[in-house]
Amino acid sequence: MVRGDVRDTALVKQTLVDHGIEAVVHFAALKAVGESVLKPLEYYENNVSGMLSLLHAMRESGCRRLVFSSSATVYGEPQQLPIPETHPRSHGNPYGHSKLMCEDMMAAVVRADPAWQMAVLRYFNPAGAHPSGLMGEDPNGTPHNLLPYVSQVAVGRLACLRIHGNDYPTPDGTGVRDYIHVMDLAAGHVAAVLRLLGAPGGFTLNLGSGRGHSVLEVVAAFEAASGRQIAHSFEPRRAGDVAVLCADPSQAQALLGWEARLSLADMCADAWRWQSANPKGYAP
Ligand code: UD1
């Protein structure tokens, strides 16, 4: 293992050369929308300069296959549902902008040198944990995302879930999202790398399940998985949230033979296995 910063171009280049790396999967970035509004320079620095540094290191080392963690956030306000990859892109915050810029940098590099093979994977809402219970999600400070928040209420670290809006035009009034188990997401990356190694060209794909679940459905699924009550209150809508976000994952199925296999119940059971074994997260 090599520990380093993705912006350390020389170290990344040396690592690629020393280990004869044939393909890179790039996860190293900041990812909180609200924080990006408060700290835009940190987001452009880590996410955009990080990508620039990586592309330099790859070019210099001769490694030209890249799989990139992008996000459904690049679709902005959905104009159609489920969302296909051809949906127009937009951004409303520095985090989303940084993902768009990275996608555009990758496209420009391929235009200049078609020997590059680029895979853009647009994640919907990743959730869950490794089924062993050994690895889970432990955000710094108060969680921004729903699943870790619910999980910390279940374990007694947080008192009450605040549900942001119950007046959306959805069956129960709460927001609907396309949650995808982190193990399915991992399998999607393996399939993407194998495709790049086995066939020319690149691709842009949604990684989602194609199924939507409301906040109240998530709460009920977590209660069932944990046997705990999730105290919750209804609050006003959160700025920037949309009613429904759901992927059209058919292109990933067609190109990679990949589809999400694990359910919301699996995500909750695996998240709870880790959280209940680690009530304080990774803190000692
Ligand atoms: C967020 C990001 C998105 C990012 C994704 C995964 C925003 C606006 N979008 O998506 O760019 O790709 O995380 O990291 O931040 N909810 C509550 N109470 C809470 C937390 C969430 O009711 O305490 C609701 C939200 O209103 C939403 C759903 O739960 O309806 C999911 O929220 P969240 O987990 O934050 O994900 P997104 O907002 O979909």
Side-chain angles (χ1 to χ4, degrees):
M1 185 174 69
V2 177
R3 261 182 206 276
D5 191 308
V6 71
R7 294 164 298 176
D8 184 344
T9 312
L11 176 69
V12 175
K13 177 190 167 189
Q14 199 56 49
T15 305
L16 296 176
V17 170
D18 288 350
H19 298 273
I21 302 294
E22 292 180 68
V24 172
V25 184
H26 178 33
F27 298 109
L30 299 175
K31 56 140 270 188
V33 171
E35 183 184 62
S36 80
V37 176
L38 300 173
K39 298 180 177 173
L41 297 184
E42 280 77 358
Y43 274 69
Y44 291 115
E45 173 63 28
N46 278 287
N47 297 8
V48 181
S49 295
M51 175 63 106
L52 195 56
S53 168
L54 175 62
L55 290 169
H56 273 299
M58 291 179 69
R59 187 175 66 181
E60 288 168 24
S61 71
C63 177
R64 285 178 167 67
R65 292 187 193 93
L66 175 60
V67 177
F68 173 56
S69 302
S70 190
S71 166
T73 199
V74 300
Y75 296 122
E77 179 95 18
Q79 293 171 20
Q80 67 183 103
L81 288 166
I83 302 181
E85 289 84 356
T86 49
H87 187 284
R89 299 177 314 154
S90 69
H91 67 84
N93 55 70
Y95 166 68
H97 192 201
S98 74
K99 292 290 175 190
L100 269 180
M101 288 170 78
C102 288
E103 289 194 1
D104 289 344
M105 282 159 62
M106 293 168 73
V109 168
V110 176
R111 271 196 297 276
D113 178 359
W116 283 81
Q117 289 182 272
M118 304 286 200
V120 171
L121 302 181
R122 295 181 179 149
Y123 309 171
F124 279 67
N125 287 60
H130 192 271
S132 64
L134 295 174
M135 289 183 282
E137 188 174 3
D138 186 24
N140 292 329
T142 307
H144 297 284
N145 293 123
L146 180 62
L147 250 296
Y149 204 111
V150 168
S151 176
Q152 291 192 16
V153 173
V155 84
R157 238 169 113 179
L158 294 169
C160 179
L161 169 70
R162 291 192 306 270
I163 297 182
H164 303 309
N166 62 342
D167 58 351
Y168 283 108
T170 59
D172 63 25
T174 64
V176 169
R177 295 290 182 275
D178 182 336
Y179 296 95
I180 172 169
H181 196 298
V182 289
M183 297 306 292
D184 278 329
L185 207 54
H189 288 72
V190 172
V193 170
L194 292 176
R195 171 77 195 192
L196 291 186
L197 290 168
F203 44 86
T204 296
L205 294 173
N206 288 335
L207 291 186
S209 71
R211 289 181 298 275
H213 293 288
S214 73
V215 177
L216 285 174
E217 284 176 330
V218 171
V219 168
F222 212 96
E223 287 182 338
S226 64
R228 305 268 177 105
Q229 289 279 318
I230 311 293
H232 58 270
S233 61
F234 293 110
E235 309 286 335
R237 294 179 181 190
R238 185 172 66 177
D241 270 358
V242 298
V244 181
L245 209 54
C246 191
D248 174 352
S250 58
Q251 289 303 310
Q253 163 73 38
L255 194 77
L256 305 180
W258 173 90
E259 62 184 347
R261 297 182 190 286
L262 298 166
S263 67
L264 179 61
D266 296 317
M267 294 175 225
C268 295
D270 292 334
W272 180 243
R273 190 172 301 114
W274 180 81
Q275 188 75 73
S276 53
N278 302 276
K280 295 182 180 164
Y282 287 109

